[in-house]
Amino acid sequence: MRLVFLLSVLFIQACVVKVGDHTPRVNTSVSSLASEDSSTFKSYVLIPSSNSVSINDLQFKEYSSYVKRLLKKNGYKDSQDKENPDLVIFVGYGIGEPEQSQYTYSMPIFGTTPTGVYTLNATSTNNGGTTQLDGTLTQQRALAVTGYSTHTNIRTNYTRHLACSGPFRSPISVQSDLIG
């Protein structure tokens, strides 16, 4: 039963992949039976669940690395003896169909605006008790946000999935061409 719980935790952790600022979606399903001595099984080998996938496939290596990292963290060891591991785990993976979502955002528009502060440039002349003032009065301007423009964009999301079958107790006929 302990193995069932451990596998549940491993599968949940393996399914959580955070990409960008998206909240990850996790769907986990665990169905397993375990023998009483299952906690002693510590060496494993990972093989593709599809016959059309080679163990040297780059995607298989990537997805297997996620599973290996979690298994290592929980005390399991990658089998050095590829012919006789304690456990055989089949790894299936894929990328779902694209899902598009639309979002809208606003961008500021900058321009010059009046500040309410005035400058007076003047010259005064005095002619027999009369003062004459010649000059200009200007309002100062500053760079500021003068409005907003709305933009719409489309985001495309791809859902990745990982499925592990097993573990199966060896000896299972593990073909050497699958193992590499």
Side-chain angles (χ1 to χ4, degrees), residues 14 44 46 55 57-73 78 91 93 160 162 164:
Y44 66 90
L46 300 178
I55 199 160
D57 183 83
L58 291 177
Q59 283 186 324
F60 176 75
K61 287 182 176 184
E62 177 187 354
Y63 282 93
S64 293
S65 71
Y66 304 148
V67 177
K68 285 180 181 180
R69 202 173 16 219
L70 293 169
L71 288 169
K72 182 178 180 181
K73 186 177 178 180
D78 193 1
V91 178
Y93 53 87
R160 299 187 337 164
L162 170 67
C164 295

Side-chain angles (χ1 to χ4, degrees), residues 1 7 11 29 34 62 83 91 99 106 108 118:
M1 198 49 131
L7 287 174
F11 293 144
S29 175
E62 177 187 354
E83 295 297 323
V91 178
E99 297 174 12
S106 296
Y118 293 89

Side-chain angles (χ1 to χ4, degrees), residues 79-154:
S79 177
Q80 300 302 318
D81 178 12
K82 299 290 187 187
E83 295 297 323
N84 195 20
D86 290 337
L87 303 169
V88 177
I89 302 172
F90 293 93
V91 178
Y93 53 87
I95 298 176
E97 293 298 317
E99 297 174 12
Q100 291 188 334
S101 59
Q102 183 174 324
Y103 63 97
T104 304
Y105 61 97
S106 296
M107 293 288 293
I109 297 172
F110 291 95
T112 58
T113 60
T115 62
V117 176
Y118 293 89
T119 303
L120 175 62
N121 293 322
T123 305
S124 64
T125 55
N126 190 353
N127 290 336
T130 303
T131 302
Q132 182 178 353
L133 188 60
D134 290 322
T136 57
L137 183 64
T138 56
Q139 185 175 33
Q140 294 180 1
R141 300 182 68 77
L143 185 63
V145 175
T146 58
Y148 291 90
S149 62
T150 302
H151 301 273
T152 302
N153 215 345
I154 295 175

Side-chain angles (χ1 to χ4, degrees), residues 31-62:
S31 176
S32 178
L33 299 173
S35 67
E36 292 178 11
D37 63 346
S38 63
S39 62
T40 63
F41 304 150
K42 291 295 183 182
S43 69
Y44 66 90
V45 64
L46 300 178
I47 61 175
S49 63
S50 172
N51 291 336
S52 64
V53 176
S54 163
I55 199 160
N56 295 317
D57 183 83
L58 291 177
Q59 283 186 324
F60 176 75
K61 287 182 176 184
E62 177 187 354

